[in-house]
């Protein structure tokens, strides 16, 4: 990436290497990234530091981080065009996060829905990392002078806080940070659980039938969609009162790029069985080539290693530029070279 030369706007986004990578992650985030990669200078991070707010098995976390980076490429992100790297390889994330912690209020963090949800789930381990998680996320974004952050709907509140923290800092020290805008697609920003369609599809769902993993076997994907919870009615309509059916139509629209209206027309008069079959077919056709590329890439250790190294260095270079500026502004002694 050559941000200065090309003068394109900057995109930053990331996924946690926690659990499997779901169809929700793909449709809400990664698939949109592939559409934006030509028009922006993009950084796509594997946010492994965020993952340890919940206990992780070290070997598994390392494997999942690598699989996720490999999946970014398999999903169509070009490593020549985008900076794809591990968050833990760029220490500026942690350093800026500390500084921004000092510009974030306890009250703001207490209001975060995700903190409330996660601490309710992990009663035995409500650590301060879980609490200050959104500050690290703000640091991720602000470090790169990001203009746009493509995410699913569940990250909206965190993004608003990142804007708030950046603006607060700028108001004290001058224009240090670019204030980022969220990019939340109209369709696909909230893919719901296949088993409980009023809840979002989540990689931490205890019931694997609730989510589709990008690496699920093709027959498993078909079966999960076949078993998706709908309702006792028979008619396909797109409504909040039919969350299961709505979710299936959303998935179909998001994958095919067809408008919701056109999808509704297509399925009107057809039964739920047919709807599920067509959705399953669309999902399988979308994921089959991604899975094939993923398996090929996995065999190519040197290629991935070289991307990790090169992109990590570029990210370090860009992040350090902002970090030094911030350190100077807050009054840390200048480094003697
Ligand atoms: P994470 O890892 O939970 O999810 C990664 C991305 O997937 C989106 N997503 C969904 N979209 C639609 N439907 C769903 N069911 C669904 N589930 C997840 C998320 O909105 C997200 O875009 N805190 C972030 C990671 C992060 C980050 C960042 C993102 C850390 N630093 C800086 C953007 C910028 C998270 O936990 O995402």
């Amino acid at each position: 990436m050559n941000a200065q030369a090309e003068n394109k706007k900057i995109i930053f986004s990331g996924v946690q290497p926690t659990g499997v990578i779901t169809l929700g992650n793909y449709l809400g985030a990664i698939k949109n990234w592939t559409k934006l990669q030509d028009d922006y200078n993009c950084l796509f991070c594997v946010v492994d530091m965020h993952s340890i707010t919940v206990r992780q098995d070290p070997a598994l976390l390392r494997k999942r981080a690598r699989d996720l980076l490999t999946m970014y490429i398999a999903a169509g992100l070009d490593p020549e065009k985008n900076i794809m790297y591990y968050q833990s390889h760029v220490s500026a994330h942690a350093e800026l996060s500390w500084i921004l912690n000092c510009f974030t209020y306890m009250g703001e963090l207490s209001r975060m829905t995700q903190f409330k949800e996660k601490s309710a789930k992990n009663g035995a381990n409500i650590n301060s990392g879980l609490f200050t998680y959104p500050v690290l996320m703000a640091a991720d974004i602000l470090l790169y002078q990001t203009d746009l952050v493509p995410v699913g709907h569940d990250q909206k509140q965190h993004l608003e806080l990142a804007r708030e923290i950046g603006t607060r800092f700028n108001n004290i020290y001058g224009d240090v940070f670019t204030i980022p805008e969220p990019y939340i697609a109209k369709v696909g920003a909230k893919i719901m659980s296949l088993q409980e369609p009023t809840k979002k599809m989540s990689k931490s769902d205890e019931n694997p039938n609730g989510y589709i993993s990008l690496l699920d076997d093709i027959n498993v994907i078909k079966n999960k969609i076949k078993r998706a919870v709908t309702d006792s009615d028979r008619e396909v309509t797109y409504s909040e009162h039919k969350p299961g059916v709505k979710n299936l139509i959303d998935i179909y629209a998001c994958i095919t790029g067809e408008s919701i209206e056109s999808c509704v027309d297509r399925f009107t008069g057809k039964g739920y069985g047919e709807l599920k079959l067509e959705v399953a077919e669309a999902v399988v056709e979308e994921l089959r080539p991604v899975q094939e590329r993923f398996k090929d890439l996995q065999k190519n250790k040197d290629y991935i290693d070289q991307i990790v190294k090169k992109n990590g260095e570029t990210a370090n270079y860009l992040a350090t530029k902002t970090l030094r500026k911030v350190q100077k502004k807050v009054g840390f002694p200048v480094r003697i070279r």
Side-chain angles (χ1 to χ4, degrees):
M1 175 174 100
N2 193 339
Q4 286 85 1
E6 291 207 31
N7 208 17
K8 289 179 183 170
K9 288 196 166 185
I10 298 171
I11 278 186
F12 181 97
S13 199
V15 178
Q16 289 192 64
T18 319
V20 299
I21 314 156
T22 68
L23 188 66
N25 298 136
Y26 180 74
L27 296 180
I30 303 172
K31 188 173 162 70
N32 292 324
W33 303 352
T34 64
K35 295 182 200 151
L36 298 164
Q37 63 182 329
D38 290 328
D39 299 326
Y40 292 83
N41 283 322
C42 303
L43 294 113
F44 299 121
C45 189
V46 171
V47 290
D48 49 356
M49 286 160 64
H50 279 92
S51 291
I52 62 162
T53 51
V54 176
R55 290 279 173 273
Q56 302 291 335
D57 174 280
L60 195 56
L61 177 61
R62 221 179 329 272
K63 179 184 183 303
R64 283 177 169 159
R66 184 154 177 117
D67 282 355
L68 181 55
L69 195 118
T70 307
M71 183 53 86
Y72 284 178
I73 305 167
L77 294 169
D78 182 345
E80 295 300 320
K81 283 190 198 148
N82 306 292
I83 301 176
M84 293 180 266
Y85 71 103
Y86 298 130
Q87 186 185 29
S88 61
H89 285 193
V90 181
S91 54
H93 287 252
E95 292 180 75
L96 182 61
S97 179
W98 169 251
I99 296 174
L100 296 182
N101 262 313
C102 304
F103 293 83
T104 309
Y105 300 118
M106 302 279 283
E108 288 174 317
L109 295 173
S110 315
R111 282 194 287 278
M112 294 292 116
T113 315
Q114 206 154 309
F115 170 69
K116 290 188 211 158
E117 281 171 10
K118 285 200 175 173
S119 46
K121 260 197 207 162
N122 299 292
N125 182 19
I126 307 177
N127 59 70
S128 45
L130 203 58
F131 190 61
T132 57
Y133 178 113
V135 185
L136 178 58
M137 183 161 158
D140 299 341
I141 298 167
L142 297 174
L143 259 184
Y144 298 95
Q145 307 295 344
T146 303
D147 296 287
L148 205 64
V149 186
V151 281
H153 190 266
D154 60 342
Q155 296 302 318
K156 191 167 177 255
Q157 197 186 30
H158 288 161
L159 216 72
E160 277 161 9
L161 183 62
R163 286 171 53 86
E164 189 69 35
I165 298 170
T167 306
R168 183 171 303 145
F169 196 95
N170 282 354
N171 285 342
I172 303 173
Y173 298 106
D175 278 343
V176 178
F177 297 123
T178 302
I179 304 304
E181 295 289 336
Y183 175 99
I184 299 174
K186 283 206 182 80
V187 186
K190 199 168 184 189
I191 300 296
M192 309 309 271
S193 157
L194 297 178
Q195 289 299 309
E196 286 177 81
T198 50
K199 285 188 2 198
K200 75 163 185 177
M201 182 180 285
S202 163
K203 49 190 152 198
S204 56
D205 194 334
E206 276 159 22
N207 180 359
N209 286 326
Y211 58 77
I212 288 172
S213 158
L214 298 194
L215 294 173
D216 271 344
D217 188 79
I218 295 299
N219 286 323
V220 171
I221 296 178
K222 286 184 181 167
N223 275 329
K224 284 184 179 178
I225 295 176
K226 202 167 158 190
R227 277 195 232 124
V229 168
T230 42
D231 51 58
S232 53
D233 201 9
R234 275 150 191 256
E235 210 180 315
V236 176
T237 48
Y238 188 80
S239 137
E240 297 295 339
H241 303 296
K242 286 171 161 281
V245 173
K246 178 175 180 291
N247 192 36
L248 291 172
I249 296 176
D250 279 342
I251 292 174
Y252 187 88
C254 203
I255 286 180
T256 58
E258 249 182 78
S259 69
I260 297 291
E261 296 73 39
S262 146
C263 294
V264 172
D265 282 351
R266 168 191 296 279
F267 293 117
T268 300
K270 296 184 180 171
Y272 289 170
E274 208 161 330
L275 168 70
K276 288 177 175 179
L277 265 180
E278 290 205 34
V279 173
E281 207 44 47
V283 173
V284 162
E285 285 320 306
E286 177 83 4
L287 296 188
R288 199 194 303 270
V290 175
Q291 294 190 350
E292 281 165 10
R293 277 197 296 272
F294 179 83
K295 280 178 196 143
D296 280 348
L297 284 163
Q298 256 191 331
K299 289 181 210 144
N300 204 339
K301 181 174 179 302
D302 290 349
Y303 176 66
I304 302 288
D305 281 351
Q306 165 238 318
I307 290 167
V308 166
K309 184 164 185 297
K310 185 167 155 248
N311 286 342
E313 283 165 5
T314 315
N316 249 306
Y317 169 77
L318 294 170
T320 306
K321 278 211 289 197
T322 303
L323 181 66
R324 293 288 176 262
K325 214 182 205 179
V326 172
Q327 288 172 326
K328 191 169 171 205
K329 290 283 184 187
V330 298
F332 293 171
V334 175
R335 278 153 211 259
I336 317 283
R337 286 188 218 195

